[in-house]
Amino acid sequence: MNKKWGELEGIQPTALRMLKNSIVKDRVAHAYLLEGSKGTGKKEISFLFAKRLFCLNPHEHEPCYECINCKRIDSGNHPDVHFIEPDGLSIKKEQVQYLQAEFTKTGVESNKKLYIINHVDKMTVSASNSLLKFLEEPTDGTYAILLTETIQKLLDTIISRCQVISLRSLTEKQLAEQLMNHNLSRADATLMPYLTNSITEAIELSEDEWFGLARKLVIQLYEVLTTRPQQALLFIHEKWVPHFKEKEQAHIGLNLLMLLYRDVLTLQVEEEPMIIYFYKEDHLKSHALQATQQKIIAKIEVILRAKNKLNSNMNIQLLMEQLVLDLQEG
Ligand SMILES: [Zn+2]
């Protein structure tokens, strides 16, 4: 939550340039809408902007990060900065009304007030209407930052009253770098961007014991399939089925397996291949040399079909038996 300007600019250059301009030219809008998928830094950017707005010693567009206001915003304790998130599944009218009541008072410590609403698309209809009134009549010194992953769910009337800043999704490589900064191992940091684009989720997964074992089993299954396919069914019964019991777990297993074949295909077609399972590179390389591209693509399709069947509630064991038979062929 406490990334500095330069770090966030490296991830979201366009958005940060827009904010920098509005600060330097003294044209800060009353309401910003930051939209972008999970992990694009919406919350971090809004807190950075809050710090700049309330900082006692700002330097041009940048807050000092050191003063009492910067520190209180980082710890969520500034009396004039309000952060709202869904209470359960939605943001309720009472939450917006609470804000409105707060905003009729003047700032506790300054003449400014800021509210940040996370997942603003999750507002109930009556909460949206209350917010709309709020946005229609901005008073001096009140600022809003709305955050959303799904701008298409917002009322046009809300969007039109905000300056919209679109955040771009991170590339797998950028996300991997972020994860390395969060102390994930190279193996985890390289893999996670293909499973989630949320840094928080990636960190949780990397710490999850079930997931760690799941990955080992997937690699073992791949090795069985490519070196001693006649043992694949036995492997499914003895090792796979007991570990991947739930549908969600089976999905993760199939995704991990598909990424191995994706690696093989990448080795076949890319000049500078970025391998996810780089610690298995020798094995993947020899597979890439032995099989044709068409065969690898066919195997990826087989796994995709299995994922679809999983969605239609097919029995996991039957599905995996069929899958390994299909993957053994050719
Ligand atoms: Zn400061």
Side-chain angles (χ1 to χ4, degrees):
M1 194 48 63
N2 41 22
K3 283 213 178 69
K4 296 194 173 174
W5 196 285
E7 289 174 82
L8 285 167
E9 198 169 27
I11 304 167
Q12 297 291 352
T14 314
L16 273 280
R17 203 178 314 122
M18 280 172 78
L19 289 174
K20 188 192 275 185
N21 274 334
S22 66
I23 293 165
V24 174
K25 293 182 180 159
D26 204 15
R27 280 195 215 136
V28 173
H30 277 290
Y32 289 95
L33 173 60
L34 301 184
E35 66 99 7
S37 53
K38 258 188 195 175
T40 46
K42 294 181 290 297
K43 208 163 149 187
E44 286 167 314
I45 292 171
S46 65
F47 274 70
L48 176 70
F49 193 70
K51 275 179 271 188
R52 174 56 183 81
L53 214 52
F54 288 89
C55 180
L56 300 172
N57 299 304
H59 181 65
E60 293 177 356
H61 58 279
E62 207 170 353
C64 76
Y65 309 105
E66 302 284 329
C67 71
I68 178 84
N69 282 353
C70 283
K71 290 203 162 140
R72 284 194 298 183
I73 288 169
D74 269 339
S75 58
N77 287 325
H78 195 291
D80 294 324
V81 178
H82 298 267
F83 181 74
I84 287 197
E85 294 193 276
D87 174 15
L89 290 174
S90 60
I91 296 174
K92 303 187 172 64
K93 191 180 177 185
E94 298 75 58
Q95 291 176 276
V96 179
Q97 279 171 338
Y98 161 79
L99 267 188
Q100 282 166 323
E102 281 298 306
F103 275 70
T104 52
K105 305 167 193 165
T106 41
V108 177
E109 296 199 0
S110 62
N111 48 5
K112 272 179 280 191
K113 275 178 170 281
L114 166 72
Y115 58 98
I116 300 169
I117 304 183
N118 199 12
H119 299 292
V120 69
D121 50 280
K122 301 233 165 87
M123 279 191 300
T124 61
V125 175
S126 55
S128 295
N129 288 328
S130 298
L131 177 68
L132 197 55
K133 282 197 203 113
F134 212 9
L135 292 172
E136 278 168 345
E137 301 153 11
T139 50
D140 269 354
T142 63
Y143 301 93
I145 307 178
L146 313 179
L147 314 178
T148 182
E149 288 167 20
T150 46
I151 191 172
Q152 63 276 15
K153 285 193 192 158
L154 287 180
L155 296 174
D156 286 340
T157 41
I158 287 185
I159 299 173
S160 66
R161 279 169 181 80
C162 299
Q163 184 171 340
V164 179
I165 298 183
S166 296
L167 303 179
R168 59 174 200 190
S169 299
L170 302 191
T171 63
E172 281 94 6
K173 199 166 167 236
Q174 283 174 322
L175 194 50
E177 280 163 12
Q178 296 273 315
L179 292 172
M180 299 275 270
N181 291 338
H182 280 88
N183 295 324
L184 262 69
S185 67
R186 192 177 148 218
D188 280 343
T190 314
L191 170 65
M192 295 305 171
Y194 293 87
L195 301 175
T196 172
N197 49 20
S198 155
I199 289 179
T200 319
E201 252 173 47
I203 293 172
E204 281 169 10
L205 265 186
S206 73
E207 290 166 351
D208 184 275
E209 272 180 41
W210 178 90
F211 180 82
L213 183 53
R215 173 167 49 187
K216 269 190 201 139
L217 288 171
V218 169
I219 292 171
Q220 282 173 20
L221 174 63
Y222 169 75
E223 286 171 344
V224 168
L225 280 165
T226 45
T227 55
R228 40 188 198 285
Q230 67 284 2
Q231 289 172 23
L233 271 181
L234 186 67
F235 184 87
I236 291 299
H237 293 156
E238 288 188 346
K239 301 276 176 75
W240 186 282
V241 172
H243 194 65
F244 297 87
K245 289 192 202 95
E246 307 294 328
K247 196 162 125 179
E248 253 330 287
Q249 296 175 330
H251 262 297
I252 293 177
L254 291 178
N255 283 339
L256 291 172
L257 184 64
M258 188 162 65
L259 291 172
L260 278 155
Y261 289 92
R262 171 260 177 218
D263 270 356
V264 177
L265 189 63
T266 306
L267 282 165
Q268 289 175 328
V269 299
E270 302 276 338
E271 283 193 18
E272 288 173 38
M274 283 271 297
I275 302 301
I276 299 167
Y277 297 92
F278 55 87
Y279 39 93
K280 288 284 156 195
E281 192 169 344
D282 289 345
H283 190 119
L284 293 163
K285 268 185 177 162
S286 75
H287 188 186
L289 285 174
Q290 286 163 23
T292 64
Q293 272 178 43
Q294 286 82 346
K295 281 204 173 134
I296 299 300
I297 291 170
K299 288 182 195 299
I300 291 173
E301 284 169 350
V302 161
I303 300 173
L304 281 173
R305 274 204 294 279
K307 275 170 62 73
N308 283 334
K309 284 185 201 154
L310 201 54
N311 287 332
S312 57
N313 287 325
M314 186 173 166
N315 174 288
I316 295 175
Q317 180 167 335
L318 283 178
L319 180 140
M320 286 307 297
E321 286 170 0
Q322 183 60 51
L323 177 68
V324 296
L325 291 176
D326 289 344
L327 287 173
Q328 280 169 5
E329 277 174 21

